[in-house]
Amino acid sequence: QKEVEQNSGPLSVPEGAIASLNCTYSDRGSQSFFWYRQYSGKSPELIMSIYSNGDKEDGRFTAQLNKASQYVSLLIRDSQPSDSATYLCAQGPSGGGADGLTFGKGTHLIIQP
Amino acid sequence: DTAVSQTPKYLVTQMGNDKSIKCEQNLGHDTMYWYKQDSKKFLKIMFSYNNKELIINETVPNRFSPKSPDKAHLNLHINSLELGDSAVYFCASSKGNQPQHFGDGTRLSIL
C-alpha cells in the first residue's frame, strides 16, 4: 500500500526565516509529486509540482526531489504570517495512471510575527 | 469563473438517508476524482474516473457510487448514510498526471 509520511507538526518558524517541510514516500514507481497548501476550512491549493530529481523554484517556494532517497521537500523563503497553513505532500500514481493522489497527513506550519 | 464547482457546500442529513453531491469542471480535464477528508484532516482518494476507466479505492464501501453523465461532471451518490460518513468530500480534476484542481468541498454532517 502506498504511503506518504510527513511530520504533523506544528512547525513554528519566525517571520522572515526559511520554513523547511519534508516528506517521504513509499511508491518508487511514482513520477509526479505535489505540495498543496490548505487553510482551515478551505480546499487544497497547489503550491508546487515536481517531476524530476533536483530543485524547482517558483518565487519564494523551492521544491526538492530525491527519487533515490524517496524524499520530497518544500522550502519557503522569507516566511510570511499568511504562509501559516497545513501543507500536504502528495505523490501521483505509478506510471502516470488514472488513480488519484496519495496524500500525507500534512504538516501544520505556524509563522510567528 | 469557478474551475471545479461542487454543490451543495453543506449537507446535513439523518442516518439512513440517500444523498448526492454534484461536481462540475470547466477546465477541459479528462480525469475527475472524489476525495474524503476526515475529522483528522487526512485526505484520501475514493474514486478516479476518466472516459476509459473507473478506479475504486478498495476501502470505499459500496454504498458510495460515482456517476458521470459526461466528461465535465462526476457526481457522488451515497446510500444509507452512516455516522462515519461525516466528513468533507472534495471533487478534483486533472489532465493526465498534471496537478489536480480541487473544488471547495462539501461538508457532510450525519445526525
Side-chain angles (χ1 to χ4, degrees):
Chain A
Q1 184 170 344
K2 292 185 286 189
E3 289 186 347
V4 174
E5 299 286 342
Q6 295 180 253
N7 188 323
S8 61
L11 174 64
S12 186
V13 174
E15 184 176 357
I18 296 175
S20 177
L21 305 166
N22 304 311
C23 165
T24 59
Y25 62 91
S26 64
D27 182 7
R28 285 190 172 275
S30 181
Q31 302 297 314
S32 54
F33 302 87
F34 308 94
W35 283 99
Y36 285 82
R37 178 177 64 198
Q38 187 174 27
Y39 293 113
S40 181
K42 300 295 186 182
S43 61
E45 173 192 9
L46 180 71
I47 298 296
M48 291 287 286
S49 59
I50 188 165
Y51 300 89
S52 55
N53 276 330
D55 295 358
K56 179 182 178 182
E57 185 175 323
D58 183 0
R60 296 187 297 111
F61 299 96
T62 299
Q64 300 173 317
L65 173 61
N66 184 325
K67 290 186 178 180
S69 301
Q70 297 176 252
Y71 177 88
V72 189
S73 66
L74 179 70
L75 300 177
I76 307 174
R77 289 180 298 281
D78 187 24
S79 297
Q80 303 297 310
S82 59
D83 294 327
S84 298
T86 296
Y87 287 80
L88 303 171
C89 175
Q91 68 171 140
S94 299
D99 46 337
L101 300 176
T102 301
F103 281 90
K105 294 186 177 181
T107 297
H108 183 44
L109 175 65
I110 300 171
I111 306 301
Q112 295 181 323
Chain B
D1 287 345
T2 302
V4 181
S5 59
Q6 297 178 226
T7 54
K9 191 174 178 69
Y10 299 95
L11 184 53
V12 181
T13 189
Q14 292 188 329
M15 270 195 334
N17 284 350
D18 301 339
K19 290 293 179 184
S20 293
I21 307 171
K22 295 185 177 181
C23 179
E24 175 182 4
Q25 55 95 5
N26 63 5
L27 297 167
H29 288 166
D30 55 10
T31 307
M32 297 184 71
Y33 311 83
W34 278 105
Y35 289 84
K36 178 181 180 181
Q37 190 167 43
D38 60 25
S39 57
K40 296 183 178 180
K41 309 301 182 187
F42 187 32
L43 195 59
K44 194 167 184 180
I45 183 69
M46 299 178 70
F47 304 100
S48 63
Y49 182 78
N50 63 21
N51 59 356
K52 297 177 183 177
E53 62 181 330
L54 169 67
I55 300 176
I56 302 171
N57 185 314
E58 60 187 11
T59 66
V60 175
N62 59 13
R63 297 181 295 103
F64 291 78
S65 57
K67 300 186 191 302
S68 179
D70 56 55
K71 286 179 63 174
H73 297 82
L74 184 65
N75 303 325
L76 181 64
H77 190 75
I78 316 169
N79 289 327
S80 303
L81 280 157
E82 300 178 357
L83 287 175
D85 298 334
S86 294
V88 181
Y89 292 85
F90 287 103
C91 178
S93 71
S94 72
K95 186 173 183 64
N97 70 342
Q98 295 301 305
Q100 295 182 16
H101 296 256
F102 284 78
D104 289 339
T106 296
R107 285 146 186 82
L108 174 62
S109 298
I110 309 301
L111 302 178

